[in-house]
Amino acid sequence: MLYILTCLTVEHDLRLVLLAALICFLSCYVAVVLTQRALVSGGAARMLWLGAAGASSGFGIWATHFIAMLAYDPGMEMGFLMEPTLVSLGVAIVVTAAGLGVATYVSGLSAVLAGGLLLAAGVTSMHYIGMSAVELPGTLFFDKTYVAASVVSAALFSTLGLICCLRPAPRARDRALATGLIALGVVSLHFTAMAAVRIEPGLMPVNGQTMLSTGIMVPLIAIVAFSLLVAGLTAAVFARQAEMTASENTRRFSMLLQGVKDYAIYMLDADGRVANWNDGAERKMGFTAGEIVGQHFSRFYSAEDRAAGEPERALRIAREQGKFETEGWCYRKDGSRFWANTVMDPIHDTSGDLVGYANITKDITQDKADADRLAEVTKNLDLALENMSQGLCLFDKDERLLLANRRYSEIFGFPEGGIKPGMTLREIIDLGVAGFLSDPEARQARARDIYARRRAALQTREVDAIVEKFSSGVSVQLYHRILPDGSWVATYEDVSERLRSEEQISFLARHDSLTGLPNRASFNDRLEADLSSARRAGGKVAVIAIDLDKFKEINDTRGHAAGDEVLATLSRRMQASLGANETIARLGGDEFAASKRFEDMTELTGFIQRLETCLSEQIRIDGYDIRPGASLGVAIYPQDADNIGALLNNADLAMYRAKEALTQTVCFYEVSMDEAARRRRLIANDLWQAVRRNELELHYQVQKAVHTGETLGYEVLLRWHHPVRGTIPPSDFIPIAEECGAILPIGEWVLREACREAASWDDAHKIAVNLSPVQLGNADVADLVQRVLQETGLDPRRLELEITESTIIGDKERALETLRRIKAFGVTIAIDDFGTGYSSLETLRSFPFDKIKLDRSFMSEVESSPEAKAIIRAILALGHTLRVPVLAEGVETRNQLDILLDEGCDEAQGYFLGRPMPMERIRAARKASEAA
């Protein structure tokens, strides 16, 4: 050791030694830095870094050796051979790089040890090959002990330095320690090996031409060494900065990824296992990084998708096509799922090898719901558009079609596919016109006209409907709506049926639906026009009220269809007979009205005669001949009235007078008719107040058994004591009450008072009450009877309701149903005035009447007319056969009663048996009879 120090301090130039030491340290530092850079690199980059490390460190170590050799002073002239010197440089570079490569490329401690030994071998070989290049006058000998020591020290320190250099995640301290150990290995090798040198002087001269000059070698080697070391160090520094920048970028990118909460971003390895996991993935999927990293990403698929190989297909598509993107269900840790958009990109290293996949998954459940809802709305809109009853078109501001539904083509008869987006309005019009016009000139003219009207409507921004009527009978209603950008929407509706219906409705609003004649409103308008003309130009206007005779009988006996046929036939006849300034109208039912503007009465007489002929001619329906006939009332402007209302009213009055007359079918208005009508109206007004004023009174007429004379009951007869007019007969006020509706409250009062009176009697005599047709037609008459019986306490079996056959003939089914309800209470039903009117046996068959009342007209003739007696005998036989008692009305003599007795009549009533009188007089007469 002392010899080595002596060699260092005495035999070497310390300045050059320090230069050599500096170069050695720098070269070792550069070697350490570049090796660590190679360790973290891969592929070609690692080889480049190792090559740079071997070149810079090998040249630096070689420069250290030769500068230190130049600092050595053996006491004689010394030089270096060129070839061995260059060989030693090459060995230093190659073997050093090889050692670093073994330690870097091969993992494990043994590889590091092997690399360290190779590094030491390179340094040792370089030194002793370099020593062989020394030329001096003498011979060099080496002490084997020092040689061995130099080799061991080089191997030891180089290996330890390489171990420190290749530590995982090396720090600055590790880098400094590795640099110092490797430099120590180089220095210890050099100076121990120099201590091993022994020089035996000799006479061999030194060839100056083959030797390198020391003055040139030192600065040249130093400059080149420093240049290489600075270049290597600079590269290492820049690489480090790049690494730090990349690390910072990686850190920031990692922070960015972790900060993204709306996306699940994660990496897969080449086999599809999760390699990393961001916070967004944890939030969306429910897995923590510790739970999912290392697991296969197929966990995010359903069992069906896994069985179908969907995860493997995704990896294959991403690998083969460079990208895989899909939408589908993604499953969370808890088994719930969300609709996800997944993008998978393959990741390759610098050599092109697949290292994994980058996955980005976004929850688009809401987007899908919105899209599905929008798709559903769009589908429904398309469905509505294609199935709407209107045609619809959308045009842009340049008149080009953007959209048209199927109904548009159907309305105009365009062939399927004939209307396409992009067509102009003019092209569509030309196509439509070509469908019904074959002449080119006519077609062009019609198309120009339609187009001009469309353009005019658009330019004036018309919003009212335009109706086009085509020769085919089709009517189309068109609406335009201009949009803010200049485009417009047009709707087309086939209104053919609607227009026909409106025309029909308009016609029906002013005409009778059955006969086609003008109705009351239309007649009034025409009459007003005639009156206006007559006022301006002079002249007269006649209004004729027409009412058919026996029309109800036609309906009842032949049916309503036959009645309608009669009305239609008569209407056609009268319509066909009209001349100028003549009108005929149906006002309702069997009522007609006619008008005529005339100058001379002969004109009016001729018109009336034509009407009478039309109304009286025979009509054959279903094999039966019907001759209807009619009553006509005539009022004339201006002599009878000067306005429509008065003329019609006066014509009606004249018509009613004609209907009452036996030999007259046409009656002209007279003032006295108006007075009679006014009297009827006053009576009708007073009738409504009669009950409240207590002006009505009930009289009772006794009904007795013919054989025994026993009193069986009483019929109630109504009397009206008017405070001004005195006592008014029922024959006068009952028809008026039925016309004005007052019969309903009057009939209710009569029923209640009669039942109350009968309930107060000590005997069980029956009480008979007449029921008006108006009452029977009222829906609640059965309820009224039940209510009155409950209120008065009368036994229902003591109440007998009398109806005429005409009462039920109008609506027979409904009337009979009402009578059945009343009969179910226990009330008896009698058919009144039998033998007159219809006297239909069908009526007796269809309802089980409890009594038949024979009309009084037969009793008035029974003593003198064999026919009347025969009819009475027949009706009595019918009653006996049906086991229905018969009561004869109007018995006024003993002879009439004897005839009834002989014929076997059951009951009778009339003046001979007892006059109608108030119940107080009946009670008084009974008491007087009992007292006598």
Side-chain angles (χ1 to χ4, degrees), residues 765-823:
H765 293 156
K766 300 190 73 168
I767 189 74
V769 180
N770 287 279
L771 203 60
S772 165
V774 178
Q775 288 178 279
L776 189 60
N778 196 342
D780 64 347
V781 65
D783 295 332
L784 173 64
V785 171
Q786 184 181 31
R787 189 165 60 250
V788 168
L789 289 172
Q790 291 174 348
E791 291 174 1
T792 59
L794 180 67
D795 185 349
R797 291 172 295 181
R798 294 179 58 198
L799 176 62
E800 181 174 273
L801 296 180
E802 298 182 0
I803 64 168
T804 62
E805 189 176 9
S806 61
T807 302
I808 63 175
I809 204 69
D811 189 350
K812 192 171 184 180
E813 291 299 324
R814 179 179 175 185
L816 293 179
E817 178 61 28
T818 301
L819 291 176
R820 290 188 185 98
R821 286 187 60 197
I822 295 174
K823 189 174 176 64

Side-chain angles (χ1 to χ4, degrees), residues 338-350:
F338 62 92
W339 192 261
N341 172 266
T342 300
V343 179
M344 180 186 294
D345 292 299
I347 301 174
H348 300 86
D349 59 15
T350 55

Side-chain angles (χ1 to χ4, degrees), residues 505-714:
I505 291 171
S506 177
F507 179 83
L508 292 176
R510 301 184 62 78
H511 293 78
D512 176 58
S513 60
L514 175 63
T515 64
L517 295 178
N519 60 11
R520 185 183 298 274
S522 180
F523 179 76
N524 288 345
D525 290 343
R526 298 186 187 192
L527 181 57
E528 182 62 44
D530 287 340
L531 291 177
S532 298
S533 297
R535 292 187 189 105
R536 288 194 308 269
K540 299 178 180 181
V541 177
V543 175
I544 305 169
I546 304 170
D547 190 84
L548 300 184
D549 295 335
K550 301 180 181 179
F551 182 72
K552 187 174 185 301
E553 181 178 341
I554 296 173
N555 272 335
D556 293 341
T557 58
R558 303 300 178 196
H560 288 283
D564 290 346
E565 181 62 27
V566 168
L567 292 174
T569 302
L570 294 178
S571 297
R572 287 194 297 270
R573 288 177 179 176
M574 290 188 288
Q575 184 78 21
S577 71
L578 295 179
N581 301 319
E582 297 174 352
T583 302
I584 186 70
R586 183 188 178 202
L587 305 185
D590 59 350
E591 296 180 22
F592 294 84
S595 68
K596 179 175 177 62
R597 189 154 54 89
F598 65 99
E599 299 291 339
D600 188 80
M601 280 299 296
T602 57
E603 299 176 34
L604 177 59
T605 303
F607 180 47
I608 293 174
Q609 288 175 350
R610 277 184 277 133
L611 291 178
E612 283 189 287
T613 300
C614 293
L615 294 167
S616 61
E617 285 183 352
Q618 182 175 288
I619 301 174
R620 189 170 184 80
I621 298 176
D622 296 334
Y624 293 94
D625 293 330
I626 299 174
R627 195 179 299 274
S631 299
L632 285 71
V634 184
I636 301 174
Y637 167 86
Q639 63 195 48
D640 296 331
D642 62 355
N643 61 78
I644 293 176
L647 279 171
L648 287 171
N649 183 68
N650 292 343
D652 279 339
L653 292 176
M655 181 268 294
Y656 286 125
R657 175 66 62 86
K659 193 172 278 291
E660 291 172 359
L662 297 177
T663 61
Q664 197 174 8
T665 59
V666 180
C667 186
F668 284 78
Y669 170 76
E670 297 175 2
V671 176
S672 59
M673 298 177 185
D674 196 27
E675 294 176 353
R678 192 159 41 249
R679 180 176 177 273
R680 289 174 66 87
R681 286 195 296 270
L682 291 174
I683 291 176
N685 290 334
D686 291 342
L687 275 171
W688 286 102
Q689 309 297 327
V691 174
R692 184 176 61 82
R693 294 173 180 171
N694 199 27
E695 297 172 359
L696 301 178
E697 182 183 21
L698 297 183
H699 285 199
Y700 299 83
Q701 187 172 29
V702 68
Q703 296 177 336
K704 294 186 176 183
V706 173
H707 294 280
T708 64
E710 178 188 1
T711 298
L712 301 177
Y714 295 88

